Amino acid sequence: MTRFLHRWPSIGAALVLLVGMHVAAQAATPPAAVALTAPDTLLLQRIAAYLNDIKTMTANFSQVANNGGISAGKVWIARPGRMRFEYDPPAAITLLADATSVYYWDKQLNQTSKYDLRSTPAWFFLRDPISFGSDVVVTGFSHVGNVAQVTVVETAHPESGSLSLVFTENPLTLRQWTVVDQQAKTTQVTLGDLQFGMALDPRLFQYQYLFSGLNLTGPNTAAPNH
């Protein structure tokens, strides 16, 4: 995993989100939960309901890595369990989650690596249902104006880092996420041109079509009519 981040330092956030940083973990102190007011709790419930209502989504993304490297691309999501990142050149990378596994394809090297989806931070986005229950600890929460930010850490593996989500309100919309890995390196992804509820071709999320040159910008992104 580390060699991939060294090779493509600017793609860290999606890579960490979908692949994770598996390093030798030491016994970690359980994270402290942030104190939440009653309005905070109600907003968290709204956020969980909003995320659970997302069945399909596409967005453009821009990304800033810990070292200042900038990259961009497009993401497709089909909940539960499926996600695909396509990076714009020169980052010749595709990341694909197919509900059980995550595949990392380096197009220049023509090499693919496989990981268990449940062991990656992406599980929070892709699981069904999404909740802020006992399996995560809310370690940070802020609500200023129409912007809300919530930070979560996995209860069972706090050493794996944290995931922060930023939303705007009226209507409630996911705008950004930040991943902080075990080495305290931060990478931020900002979403734009979000679209929801469209039919997506299931081949987008199938490993056997990863290398097929599927037209991701044309009509092939819509599901077949038959």
Side-chain angles (χ1 to χ4, degrees):
M1 173 63 197
T2 302
R3 72 180 187 276
F4 291 142
L5 288 178
H6 288 165
R7 175 173 167 77
W8 295 109
S10 65
I11 69 169
L15 191 58
V16 172
L17 180 71
L18 276 176
V19 176
M21 287 288 289
H22 300 290
V23 299
Q26 300 177 349
T29 302
V34 68
L36 297 172
T37 66
D40 294 341
T41 301
L42 289 176
L43 182 52
L44 279 179
Q45 292 173 353
R46 284 183 57 211
I47 288 172
Y50 161 80
L51 293 173
N52 282 311
D53 281 343
I54 297 175
K55 304 307 178 186
T56 59
M57 183 185 102
T58 65
N60 298 322
F61 69 85
S62 60
Q63 193 166 284
V64 180
N66 189 74
N67 65 352
I70 298 173
S71 56
K74 187 164 184 175
V75 58
W76 294 259
I77 296 173
R79 297 188 59 256
R82 294 169 293 169
M83 179 181 284
R84 181 179 185 129
F85 283 87
E86 286 285 342
Y87 281 83
D88 295 339
I93 299 296
T94 298
L95 295 169
L96 183 151
D98 68 357
T100 59
S101 301
V102 173
Y103 299 90
Y104 171 102
W105 180 29
D106 185 322
K107 300 174 187 178
Q108 287 190 349
L109 298 179
N110 196 26
Q111 292 182 352
T112 307
S113 300
K114 180 181 178 181
Y115 304 86
D116 177 32
L117 175 60
R118 183 58 184 83
S119 68
T120 73
W123 71 273
F124 183 82
F125 282 118
L126 300 181
R127 61 185 178 151
D128 188 28
I130 293 172
S131 72
F132 295 96
S134 60
D135 52 354
V136 298
V137 178
V138 177
T139 59
F141 185 86
S142 66
H143 184 202
V144 179
N146 72 330
V147 177
Q149 177 171 317
V150 55
T151 300
V152 295
V153 172
E154 188 176 2
T155 303
H157 301 285
E159 74 284 351
S160 296
S162 66
L163 175 65
S164 296
L165 308 171
V166 176
F167 302 84
T168 55
E169 293 190 274
N170 302 316
L172 190 65
T173 306
L174 176 65
R175 297 298 183 182
Q176 190 178 85
W177 68 69
T178 300
V179 175
V180 180
D181 67 23
Q182 294 94 329
Q183 300 172 344
K185 293 181 179 180
T186 300
T187 317
Q188 185 180 84
V189 169
T190 301
L191 302 174
D193 192 23
L194 287 83
Q195 300 181 45
F196 303 93
M198 71 292 295
L200 294 177
D201 189 329
R203 293 177 297 172
L204 282 168
F205 313 102
Q206 294 175 4
Y207 173 77
Q208 59 266 40
Y209 295 105
L210 185 60
F211 318 101
S212 66
L214 186 66
N215 180 9
L216 299 177
T217 59
N220 284 338
T221 56
N225 293 323
H226 56 280

